[in-house]
Amino acid sequence: MSLWGISTNAETAANNYAVPKYLGKYSAATDLFEATDRNRSPYNCFADNRGWIQRHYKSAHHSGISTRYWDSILVPVVGLNTAGAGTSTTGLGQATPIAVFFEDPNFASPISIGAGGTTGISTNTTGYVHLVWNEAVYCSAGATVLITPSTGSNIVATANSTGVPVQLNVPGIGQTIITFNGQVTNRVAFAFTAPSTGIGTVLRIATGNGVVGTITDFSGGAAVNKVINQLVKNIAGAGTTSGVGIGTTTLTIKA
């Protein structure tokens, strides 16, 4: 079953975080994660108590603020409602960030060619940072990531809530409809407002600051890894890179 990424080994950028391997692979030649279907994978593929899941959104946001979606169970795995221990048991480990990038203002998924460097984002409009985990997580409304512009003051991007009832697969309960003040997803959206001035300013995600706020594993409520300067994988398009697996997009302010 190694082709499906079921493993008790540590999940790292070098081994693609053990995601099902048909979804893509890391290329040392390009220093990028080359997905076979970049519209949906690997950014919308994650593990929960059912196994490996691929989430299909019914809106262009492709993130936790989308309220309509359906899940495909790619690989059903038993025993994932327990904590893995040692080399002979299965279980979900700690949820780990695997990618971070600006949502494309044109709603391409995950980003268009140029990573927003050519399309840009208009002044005084809402943009989003997408932070992807390898498991489904609960991110409470108000969690933040920091954006550092090339000129001007830092910008805080804040996770919001869908604020409406959504259908979820709750471990131990099954399919149910609940309302929550946050996002339950592997791909959390953090909203920010582009500056009203500063045409040509380049926005960058401050990966060294990590994520501030309440984020827990959806399967069991355990703490998750919120460090994003070491465990994010490169994504397609222009951006800054530093070391194996570390990459993020940039976004430029336009009129």
Side-chain angles (χ1 to χ4, degrees):
M1 295 299 290
S2 60
L3 289 178
W4 295 107
I6 300 172
S7 172
T8 56
N9 295 328
E11 296 166 345
T12 66
N15 65 18
N16 306 323
Y17 301 90
V19 298
K21 294 176 175 54
Y22 91 93
L23 294 174
K25 62 181 180 178
Y26 174 77
S27 170
T30 61
D31 200 30
L32 295 173
F33 187 90
E34 298 176 345
T36 55
D37 180 358
R38 74 179 228 152
N39 284 336
R40 293 186 293 273
S41 60
Y43 315 103
N44 294 334
C45 179
F46 58 92
D48 69 9
N49 65 305
R50 297 168 291 177
W52 279 110
I53 309 300
Q54 189 169 29
R55 180 155 293 179
H56 310 268
Y57 290 101
K58 295 184 178 180
S59 82
H61 286 286
H62 292 276
S63 70
I65 60 175
S66 302
T67 58
R68 300 184 63 198
Y69 60 83
W70 78 94
D71 289 343
S72 299
I73 301 178
L74 299 179
V75 187
V77 184
V78 298
L80 293 184
N81 59 339
T82 62
T87 60
S88 60
T89 61
T90 56
L92 291 172
Q94 185 184 46
T96 300
I98 61 172
V100 61
F101 47 87
F102 287 105
E103 177 187 76
D104 193 304
N106 295 324
F107 295 112
S109 176
I111 53 174
S112 64
I113 301 301
T118 54
T119 57
I121 185 171
S122 299
T123 57
N124 203 34
T125 57
T126 300
Y128 294 91
V129 172
H130 283 190
L131 181 54
V132 183
W133 274 267
N134 61 351
E135 298 178 26
V137 301
Y138 167 74
C139 178
S140 66
T144 62
V145 296
L146 190 66
I147 298 171
T148 55
S150 57
T151 59
S153 302
N154 290 340
I155 302 169
V156 176
T158 304
N160 61 355
S161 173
T162 58
V164 297
V166 297
Q167 180 171 299
L168 296 170
N169 183 71
V170 180
I173 298 176
Q175 290 293 327
T176 187
I177 296 178
I178 62 175
T179 301
F180 50 90
N181 188 28
Q183 300 174 44
V184 175
T185 180
N186 76 307
R187 184 167 166 173
V188 179
F190 297 80
F192 67 93
T193 301
S196 56
T197 59
I199 306 301
T201 296
V202 178
L203 305 182
R204 291 181 172 84
I205 302 164
T207 57
N209 290 69
V211 186
V212 177
T214 301
I215 305 176
T216 59
D217 197 310
F218 184 54
S219 297
V224 306
N225 188 336
K226 295 190 286 187
V227 176
I228 60 175
N229 68 336
Q230 298 176 0
L231 297 172
V232 294
K233 61 181 61 171
N234 285 329
I235 56 177
T240 58
T241 60
S242 175
V244 175
I246 300 176
T248 182
T249 57
T250 60
L251 196 61
T252 302
I253 304 298
K254 66 177 184 179

